[in-house]
Every structure is written in C-alpha cells, then in structure tokens.
C-alpha cells in the first residue's frame, strides 16, 4: 500500500521539535506576516502607519499564531501517532 505523503511531511516536521515548529509555522508566518499585511492595508487606506498599532498587532498575531500552530501540532500527533488503547 502507498503510505500517506502527509505523514512523511509530518514526520519530517516533527524532527524539528515542537518549539521550532511553533516558531516556524505559527509565530513567524502569523505574527510577522499578518502584522505586515495589516500595516500595508492601513498604509493604503490612510496613507500612514500608526506606530502605536504595530506592536499591538504583533503581540496579538503572535498569540493567534501560537494557538493555531499548537492546535496543528496536536492534531497531527493525534492523527499519525494515536495512543495505544488499553483493553
């Protein structure tokens, strides 16, 4: 049988470790990415960036990224490494 290619990707990502996974797939893309996106949208709409909002966005999107990546980690662990059931 063919093995699920997503499992191979998960096993490779699991080798990074949980902390690096959270940073690479949660904090950086969600925190920095969404902060930059919303700052660009603000710049296009108001023609200036309010520097007060940048750190607020960064903290908020870091938290969101942490929870999204943590949920993803737990879901992949449960999907590909189910705990053994006791009889």
């Amino acid at each position: 049988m063919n093995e699920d290619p997503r499992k191979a990707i998960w096993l490779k990502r699991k080798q990074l470790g949980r902390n690096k996974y959270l940073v690479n797939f949660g904090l950086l893309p969600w925190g920095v990415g969404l902060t930059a996106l919303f700052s660009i949208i603000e710049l296009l709409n108001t023609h200036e960036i309010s520097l007060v909002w940048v750190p607020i966005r960064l903290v908020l999107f870091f938290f969101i990224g942490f929870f999204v990546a943590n949920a993803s980690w737990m879901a992949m662990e449960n999907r590909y490494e189910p705990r053994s059931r006791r009889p």
Side-chain angles (χ1 to χ4, degrees), residues 8-27:
I9 293 170
W10 162 245
L11 292 174
K12 189 174 182 180
R13 287 182 180 170
K14 186 177 179 188
Q15 290 177 349
L16 287 174
R18 186 180 183 126
N19 291 336
K20 281 190 176 182
Y21 180 86
L22 291 176
V23 169
N24 291 342
F25 295 97
L27 298 179

Side-chain angles (χ1 to χ4, degrees), residues 11 40 85:
L11 292 174
I40 291 169
R85 296 183 183 177

Side-chain angles (χ1 to χ4, degrees), residues 4-8 10-11 75-82:
D4 188 5
R6 291 175 290 186
K7 184 175 182 178
W10 162 245
L11 292 174
M76 292 298 116
E77 259 189 349
N78 289 336
R79 178 179 294 159
Y80 295 117
E81 299 171 18

Side-chain angles (χ1 to χ4, degrees), residues 1-5:
M1 281 190 173
N2 292 337
E3 194 168 315
D4 188 5

Side-chain angles (χ1 to χ4, degrees), residues 26-46 48-66:
L27 298 179
L28 291 179
W30 286 84
V32 176
L34 286 177
T35 298
L37 176 68
F38 276 80
S39 296
I40 291 169
I41 290 171
E42 179 185 18
L43 180 64
L44 293 174
N45 286 334
T46 64
E48 64 181 354
I49 295 177
S50 174
L51 294 179
V52 173
W53 283 102
V54 174
I56 294 170
R57 288 182 188 125
L58 199 58
V59 169
L60 176 68
F61 292 136
F62 270 166
F63 275 114
I64 291 171
F66 171 80

